């Protein structure tokens, strides 16, 4: 959604997608919450609107993305980076967050406007996705009856949750590392207030399906086998993230949300069909989590 120019001390971005024109404004509001905290992040220097679209100027952090550093890093360095990421996430999840914080595009999407993106999960909107899928020409009505019942049986799992500040799009391209440690989390345009393990859902999805997270559409994501130890290392550094009761069922619920959003809103039929097949697998108790050791 952005063009970027990277200088010695700053990064300039220009938003080229009108559907996300409020993204930098949302990101600025989130970054302001991090000021003075232990969360490593890039300072936002300025943002605004120009004749070519919204723009943002932020501090350039030392190092490179985790995606770039990962292939040549040895196992001890990889472990150090993930343990540092665990510390950064713990600090992030302790930041006081405004109730109901959502990216502007997602607020619009949940109100019935077009969906320009398909993550992160919003627990309270999951049944609404079933209704959106029912309005889709050629939908599978029997499947959606089963899905609605599956969701209703699990909503009570989230009743006691207190929302925290969740990055919402955490993968290798949104973490900056240098000399084996995280120097910053970047791109808070998807940040929102949700249960803490929504963050874990994204991390584990990246580990299991990393080739679906390329740094750019015409590039390749990391090999999944190279990330096999990441869940275990992250759990060692941030065990509280893994200690929610009924964690597997909760993560399955988040996965159902993501696949339902794709099934109900993605413009490409082959993506919708893939989502349908993954939903069918979830109803049978199978998904990408089966491939991970965590």
């Amino acid at each position: 959604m952005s063009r970027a120019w990277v200088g010695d001390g700053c990064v300039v971005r220009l938003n080229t997608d009108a559907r996300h024109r409020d993204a930098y404004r949302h990101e600025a509001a989130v970054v302001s919450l991090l000021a003075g905290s232990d969360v490593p992040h890039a300072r936002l220097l300025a943002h605004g609107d120009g004749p070519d679209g919204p723009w943002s100027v932020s501090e350039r952090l030392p190092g490179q993305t985790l995606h770039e550093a990962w292939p040549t890093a040895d196992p001890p360095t990889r472990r150090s980076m993930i343990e540092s990421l665990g510390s950064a996430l713990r600090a992030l999840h302790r930041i006081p967050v405004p109730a109901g914080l959502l990216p502007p595009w997602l607020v619009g999407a949940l109100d019935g406007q077009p969906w320009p993106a398909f993550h992160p999960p919003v627990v309270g909107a999951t049944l609404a996705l079933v209704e959106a899928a029912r309005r889709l020409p050629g939908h599978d009505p029997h499947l959606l009856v089963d899905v609605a019942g599956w969701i209703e049986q699990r909503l009570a799992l989230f009743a006691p949750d207190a929302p925290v500040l969740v990055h919402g799009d955490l993968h290798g391209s949104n973490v900056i590392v240098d000399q084996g440690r995280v120097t910053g989390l970047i791109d808070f345009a998807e940040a929102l207030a949700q249960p803490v393990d929504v963050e874990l859902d994204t991390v584990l999805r990246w580990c299991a399906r990393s080739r679906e997270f390329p740094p750019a559409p015409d590039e390749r994501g990391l090999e999944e086998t190279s990330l096999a130890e990441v869940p275990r290392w992250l759990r060692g550094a941030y065990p509280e993230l893994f200690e929610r009761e009924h964690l597997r069922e909760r993560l399955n619920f988040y996965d159902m949300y993501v696949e339902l959003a794709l099934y109900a809103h993605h413009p490409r039929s082959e993506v919708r069909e893939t989502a349908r097949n993954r939903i069918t697998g979830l109803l049978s108790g199978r998904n990408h989590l089966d491939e991970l050791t965590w």
Side-chain angles (χ1 to χ4, degrees), residues 132-213:
R134 284 177 172 147
R135 295 191 290 270
L136 186 71
H139 71 270
D140 185 333
H142 301 294
L143 175 69
L144 293 178
V145 167
D146 292 341
V147 168
W150 187 97
I151 292 168
E152 289 168 348
Q153 291 172 5
R154 289 160 175 80
L155 280 172
L157 295 175
F158 305 93
D161 285 321
V164 305
L165 180 58
V166 171
H167 181 282
D169 192 21
L170 198 71
H171 53 81
S173 295
N174 286 337
V175 179
I176 304 297
V177 297
D178 189 37
Q179 300 182 25
R181 66 181 182 87
V182 172
T183 58
L185 308 179
I186 62 171
D187 192 358
F188 285 91
E190 307 283 356
L192 74 172
Q194 280 295 291
V196 67
D197 47 359
V198 164
E199 202 87 90
L200 180 60
D201 170 67
T202 304
V203 174
L204 295 181
R205 190 185 315 280
W206 170 57
C207 291
R209 298 176 179 166
S210 55
R211 279 173 284 190
E212 298 179 13
F213 291 80

Side-chain angles (χ1 to χ4, degrees), residues 33 66 99 196 284:
L33 300 175
L66 180 63
V196 67
S284 301

